[in-house]
């Protein structure tokens, strides 16, 4: 049995690249940044980069490859984004058309890869600050909701913000804001605390993505901008081609979560 | 005598737009964000946006206009970047070819405007935290230096990072780091504290831009990434056209400095 939690990112990426690991990456390479992946052709790259720039809470950029390159130089020198993610999704004109474990057959010389911060990093910060995270305790996927919050559009890209929700006990809400504020590059502080209807969520028990989390007596739903926003934006904006990771199957970076702290 | 410190950004921009104010903007519209301006043609906009993304400490982006538009929607709805900055510099192939108070004659339908965070905002944070700022006390321009720190290149853009320096008394260095860390969108925490030669500065008394600041007994030079970096990058990279504000003649935004705090 491999000790994936304590292996280095380079070791785990090598196994993923050879298809010897093909499962969600949660818990792997403890303490290291995991990232969302978005790949678009060069003719859409400016619009997407600008979209991310205008929507830093949902799309915080960690790295952008040069055109035609699949090496994320800043986050993982020598890695290959064509193979080092366990599962990819191919969207054409907003439709999910394939889910694959390797992009070699889909690669084009005009593609640009974006790595975006992921909530795994701020959940580590929460756990370090003794704030329990329900979906980790209960071992299910985080609940995610499409809100009524318009993202700032950019060129072809527009649509609603997606948020993730974690139930937090009243005495820990301030601490949760503080702990996650230190990490603006991985979604940062919450965007909403309390009544879900204020941001257009009508049924907290029926998330649009992921699984429902139990909200216990004395707990408040707290919402963070979510890295699934680009996939929702793809469905709304219908770009010719967008390739992403499959939810939960992230890219593991060399730097550590704490390297991203602003304070 | 106009009370420029307490007028609204909209009022002051209107006077600037009519050329009724034509001087450095330091001290105007107290508490409001002032921004660096960079304008490039669309064919360079992706490279510049990516350059800024890869160098967030020196080039923190606050707003990007749509192609051909001079309205910075997020930072000042209704404003006009063609006229609402008191003085502009025109660089062609890396050469400063003109300094003008209005861009109407230079405007092209393919231009994209970038507003970048400026040190005025974090200096407010320092003053609020009772940290003296020497060049404000002594009423001269901040000293700026070209370092030996390579920026992360992007497409056509490459070159060395420019830093600004403020002498800080030993007991206030930690506080200065804390106070400025709250504002990553306006250069954030220092990039270097102490011995200037470590970052390639050979003579602290001879800045490359601005005026020398006196470093008193018991004070340490502290260095922040500087928004003049794009102008230095223009000189190194020699793009066909880059228009900037003139140093000190900034664009005044509607939001307040404190709106940019991450914590």
């Amino acid at each position: 049995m491999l000790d994936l939690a304590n292996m280095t990112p380079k070791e785990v990426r090598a196994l993923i690249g050879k298809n010897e690991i093909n499962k969600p990456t949660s818990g792997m390479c403890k303490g290291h940044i995991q990232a969302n992946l978005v790949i678009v052709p060069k003719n859409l790259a400016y619009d997407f980069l600008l979209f991310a720039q205008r929507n830093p809470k949902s799309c915080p950029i960690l790295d952008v490859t040069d055109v035609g390159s699949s090496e994320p130089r800043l986050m993982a020198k020598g890695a290959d984004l064509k193979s080092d993610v366990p599962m990819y999704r191919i969207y054409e004109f907003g439709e999910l058309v394939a889910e694959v474990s390797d992009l070699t057959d889909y690669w084009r010389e005009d593609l640009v890869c974006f790595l975006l911060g992921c909530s795994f990093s701020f959940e580590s910060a929460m756990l370090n600050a003794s704030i329990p995270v329900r979906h980790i305790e209960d071992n299910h996927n985080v609940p995610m909701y499409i809100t009524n919050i318009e993202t700032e559009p950019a060129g072809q890209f527009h649509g609603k913000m997606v948020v993730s929700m974690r139930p937090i006990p009243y005495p820990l809400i301030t601490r949760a804001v503080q702990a996650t504020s230190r990490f603006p590059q991985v979604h940062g502080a919450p965007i909403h605390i309390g009544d879900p209807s204020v941001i257009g969520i009508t049924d907290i028990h029926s998330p649009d993505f992921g699984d429902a989390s139990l909200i216990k007596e004395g707990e408040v739903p707290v919402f963070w901008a979510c890295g699934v926003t680009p996939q929702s934006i793809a469905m709304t904006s219908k770009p010719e081609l967008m390739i992403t990771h499959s939810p939960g199957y992230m890219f593991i970076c060399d730097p550590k979560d704490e390297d991203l702290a602003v304070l």
Side-chain angles (χ1 to χ4, degrees), chain A:
Chain A
M1 183 75 183
L2 290 167
D3 181 13
L4 296 171
N6 292 304
M7 287 169 65
T8 68
K10 197 170 176 181
E11 289 167 344
V12 173
R13 287 195 307 260
L15 292 169
I16 290 172
K18 288 185 279 183
N19 266 315
E20 290 175 22
I21 300 178
N22 202 334
K23 57 180 182 179
T25 51
S26 171
M28 295 182 193
C29 305
K30 209 160 164 270
H32 290 273
I33 301 164
Q34 299 202 13
N36 297 288
L37 174 67
V38 171
I39 305 177
V40 294
K42 174 65 171 81
N43 67 337
L44 291 171
Y46 179 74
D47 284 357
F48 186 75
L49 182 56
L50 186 54
F51 180 82
Q53 180 61 51
R54 287 181 178 167
N55 295 279
K57 300 230 37 157
S58 47
C59 303
I61 293 186
L62 298 176
D63 205 347
V64 183
T65 62
D66 291 321
V67 180
S69 164
S70 59
E71 180 192 6
R73 281 191 300 114
L74 304 182
M75 285 291 124
K77 229 183 188 32
D80 185 350
L81 290 169
K82 289 197 302 297
S83 56
D84 293 355
V85 167
M87 194 85 80
Y88 301 87
R89 285 187 166 181
I90 319 284
Y91 290 89
E92 289 176 2
F93 300 101
E95 299 279 329
L96 175 60
V97 296
E99 192 153 29
V100 297
S101 62
D102 191 289
L103 284 186
T104 308
D105 292 345
Y106 290 85
W107 192 253
R108 299 168 12 177
E109 283 309 307
D110 67 340
L111 294 182
V112 179
C113 310
F114 297 81
L115 291 177
L116 310 177
C118 155
S119 59
F120 290 0
S121 298
F122 78 71
E123 288 173 355
S124 296
M126 290 171 74
L127 294 171
N128 288 343
S130 305
I131 300 162
V133 179
R134 177 66 30 81
H135 66 272
I136 294 178
E137 289 174 344
D138 291 356
N139 200 25
H140 62 70
N141 200 352
V142 67
M144 292 163 274
Y145 306 85
I146 301 173
T147 66
N148 63 4
I149 302 169
E150 280 294 342
T151 56
E152 280 294 335
Q156 290 208 19
F157 296 102
H158 60 91
K160 309 287 189 188
M161 184 192 285
V162 177
V163 296
S164 59
M165 188 280 285
R166 291 158 193 80
I168 307 288
Y170 276 102
L172 292 176
I173 294 174
T174 298
R175 197 86 193 106
V177 172
Q178 292 170 330
T180 57
S181 294
R182 294 177 60 226
F183 296 91
Q185 276 188 291
V186 290
H187 306 306
I191 58 131
H192 181 62
I193 298 170
D195 185 356
S197 71
V198 172
I199 55 172
I201 298 169
T202 49
D203 183 0
I204 196 73
H205 305 295
S206 302
D208 295 300
F209 310 93
D211 307 309
S213 272
L214 179 68
I215 303 176
K216 297 183 185 168
E217 186 67 29
E219 290 181 342
V220 173
V222 179
F223 300 88
W224 280 264
C226 178
V228 170
T229 302
Q231 298 185 37
S232 159
I233 292 303
M235 294 183 232
T236 320
S237 314
K238 307 189 192 313
E240 168 215 337
L241 175 68
M242 182 186 283
I243 300 171
T244 71
H245 66 289
S246 295
Y249 294 74
M250 317 305 286
F251 178 76
I252 305 175
C253 305
D254 286 338
K256 297 196 151 192
D257 297 323
E258 281 294 325
D259 293 332
L260 296 180
V262 291
L263 195 64

